[in-house]
Amino acid sequence: IRNKNNPNEYIFIYKFDGTRVYYPNEKDTEGKKFYEFADQNGIKVIKELIDISKKNIGGFVEYIWNKPNNKKTAPKISYAKSYEAWGWTVGKGVYLDTIDKIVKEKKLEYDEKIANYVLQIISMTILLLLYSIFIYKNATILIANEVREIGNYFLESQKDDTPVNQNKILFR
């Protein structure tokens, strides 16, 4: 009941008196009592895990623990739940430095996505602006030509003294 590809992923089991029942990374310590074991911050890790496991839905404990793959300490959070019939606390934890690494990777990934979206939005804005200018300029030219044509028509009809043809003064 552990991930052989990652020695940092494992399940642990302790009796309610703190005796280690199962700990895959240190088989030689199984059967020994760890009830009073404290991490470098003074947290009695096994006692806390056992106490919280006895709550109705179990619970989480944060502490400092050795990482099996490199024997360095790292912050860890574990969930523990009791199995009352056998007097066991069963738990599984995750090292927070692993979580931090995943969060940093995701942050970089999302930052890159956001930068791409911003670039797309800016590009679309520029295209829409250029398109608007093009339409404005062409519409202005068309309207100016129509007004000029109507003005010319009035000038010519004034010279000839011909009646105004209403069809000639409509905007297309």
Side-chain angles (χ1 to χ4, degrees):
I1 46 180
R2 74 176 194 175
N3 183 346
K4 291 186 181 193
N5 297 328
N6 185 350
N8 295 324
E9 289 188 29
Y10 57 88
I11 290 175
F12 53 84
I13 302 171
Y14 290 90
K15 289 182 181 177
F16 288 161
D17 67 357
T19 303
R20 187 175 275 173
V21 174
Y22 177 75
Y23 191 78
N25 299 318
E26 296 176 14
K27 290 282 197 185
D28 57 320
T29 61
E30 291 175 359
K32 295 182 180 174
K33 286 197 177 199
F34 287 86
Y35 194 78
E36 294 296 322
F37 174 80
D39 72 0
Q40 63 194 38
N41 293 333
I43 296 171
K44 292 185 177 181
V45 177
I46 307 308
K47 177 187 179 314
E48 294 282 331
L49 287 165
I50 291 168
D51 290 347
I52 202 131
S53 77
K54 291 178 181 178
K55 292 187 176 186
N56 195 24
I57 58 170
F60 293 92
V61 176
E62 286 188 52
Y63 53 95
I64 306 293
W65 200 256
N66 286 329
K67 291 183 84 167
N69 62 346
N70 62 16
K71 298 296 182 195
K72 292 181 181 177
T73 60
K76 186 174 184 179
I77 186 167
S78 292
Y79 175 79
K81 177 82 172 107
S82 68
Y83 184 68
E84 294 285 339
W86 291 2
W88 282 4
T89 291
V90 179
K92 169 101 173 85
V94 63
Y95 290 92
L96 297 178
D97 61 340
T98 305
I99 300 295
D100 290 342
K101 180 181 171 190
I102 292 168
V103 167
K104 284 179 186 174
E105 289 171 2
K106 289 294 181 185
K107 183 184 181 310
L108 288 173
E109 182 182 320
Y110 287 123
D111 284 349
E112 187 176 318
K113 281 183 178 181
I114 289 170
N116 285 335
Y117 290 145
V118 167
L119 183 62
Q120 288 174 1
I121 289 169
I122 290 172
S123 299
M124 290 300 292
T125 303
I126 290 170
L127 285 173
L128 287 172
L129 182 63
L130 290 173
Y131 185 68
S132 298
I133 291 170
F134 175 77
I135 295 211
Y136 171 76
K137 191 169 188 172
N138 284 337
T140 304
I141 290 170
L142 289 174
I143 292 170
N145 286 342
E146 291 284 331
V147 168
R148 196 173 305 114
E149 206 174 300
I150 292 171
N152 288 338
Y153 173 71
F154 280 125
L155 286 174
E156 285 188 28
S157 66
Q158 184 181 13
K159 290 178 189 172
D160 306 30
D161 232 4
T162 57
V164 175
N165 182 351
Q166 292 180 354
N167 292 333
K168 292 276 189 171
I169 60 171
L170 294 176
F171 284 102
R172 284 182 249 149

